Each structure stands twice: as structure tokens, then as C-alpha cells.
Amino acid sequence: MPFFRRNEPTDEYALLRQSIQSRGQAKISEAATYVDHYLREISDEAGVHYSHSHSWLVKQLRMFMVMSWDNWFGVLNRIPEGQQLRAEWDALVAMEERFGPHHLVAWWWNNQESLFRPLVANQFVEMRGALVDGLRAGCR
């Protein structure tokens, strides 16, 4: 599914709005497992024990997520719920000590999982090299 065309609102926007309006409980524990698995793969690929890299990886991943995923608001800002969603996102981002990468993943999935789960996965693929290289360079 394309990440929404830039023309007039379509059925995709209607589906997104419906998904947002009917959100339930975010899948935080599933997202935590997903993120932990990803970070363990990064550590393994870099050849660094996970217990030594975990803190650095969590901080770096979260920073990458905050910086790059802000672009996804180009879509969310086209629906009436966009401002509310931006406020929720900003609150999650502002409380770094309380809300880690898994909370951010769960929040996006909770908006519309069929759209954002593959986007999260693609972004993780793109971030992988920088995280591995950072660990190998001793940035932990």
C-alpha cells in the first residue's frame, strides 16, 4: 500500500480516521519484544554483548525514531485528528525517561497497524547500519 498519495483525501484517509477513532489499548508488550529483538540483532551484528550496548542503543534508536518519524505527520496532519495526534506524540517524546522506543512503536501501531507496522519495520532496516557502525566505533 502506498504511503498515501498527495492528492485529495481517499478511502485510505477514511480508513486511517476510522482506525484512530476506534483505537484500543496499545500493544506495548508486543512492541517491547519487537524492539528488544531488533536491538539484540544490532548488538550481535556489531559483536558487542547486549548488556554492554543496551543503554546506548535504546537512546540512539529513540533519537532516530523521533527525528525520522516526525515526517509521518505529513499524512496525519491531513485528517481532523492530526492536531490531537501531534499533541500525543509530543507528550511521548518529551518524557524520554518514561517512554522508550517500544512506547513510540506501540503508539504508531495503535494508530493504524496495517499502515505503520511495515513503516516501522522499513525504518528499522534503514537505521540498522548506523546503529551497528556506532557500536563498532565504540559509541556505547
Side-chain angles (χ1 to χ4, degrees):
M1 170 162 97
F3 192 58
F4 294 92
R5 295 173 275 292
R6 295 213 178 261
N7 54 10
E8 294 299 312
T10 63
D11 289 341
E12 294 167 332
Y13 288 106
L15 291 172
L16 177 60
R17 289 192 69 209
Q18 181 181 8
S19 178
I20 289 165
Q21 291 168 357
S22 64
R23 290 184 296 178
Q25 183 66 36
K27 297 179 177 178
I28 295 171
S29 64
E30 182 179 338
T33 300
Y34 181 82
V35 169
D36 187 63
H37 178 76
Y38 174 72
L39 295 179
R40 286 179 184 278
E41 287 180 346
I42 299 296
S43 286
D44 289 347
E45 189 173 334
V48 177
H49 195 275
Y50 188 56
S51 65
H52 299 304
S53 64
H54 180 263
S55 179
W56 183 86
L57 279 172
V58 167
K59 288 177 185 172
Q60 288 301 117
L61 177 61
R62 190 178 191 286
M63 180 188 69
F64 288 169
M65 292 163 70
V66 169
M67 290 173 37
S68 63
W69 295 1
D70 194 63
N71 295 331
W72 296 348
F73 278 95
V75 171
L76 297 181
N77 288 336
R78 295 181 188 164
I79 60 174
E81 297 81 5
Q83 267 190 323
Q84 170 198 336
L85 295 169
R86 170 56 83 175
E88 289 176 15
W89 176 254
D90 289 345
L92 285 172
V93 168
M95 293 186 260
E96 183 175 356
E97 295 301 316
R98 185 169 177 203
F99 297 113
H102 61 289
H103 291 100
L104 304 182
V105 167
W107 186 84
W108 283 105
W109 287 354
N110 201 36
N111 287 315
Q112 187 182 27
E113 191 167 357
S114 65
L115 172 63
F116 290 107
R117 187 177 279 266
L119 287 174
V120 166
N122 289 338
Q123 286 290 299
F124 276 15
V125 168
E126 290 183 20
M127 296 172 185
R128 182 182 213 92
L131 292 170
V132 169
D133 290 348
L135 277 180
R136 286 182 178 155
C139 297
R140 48 189 184 280

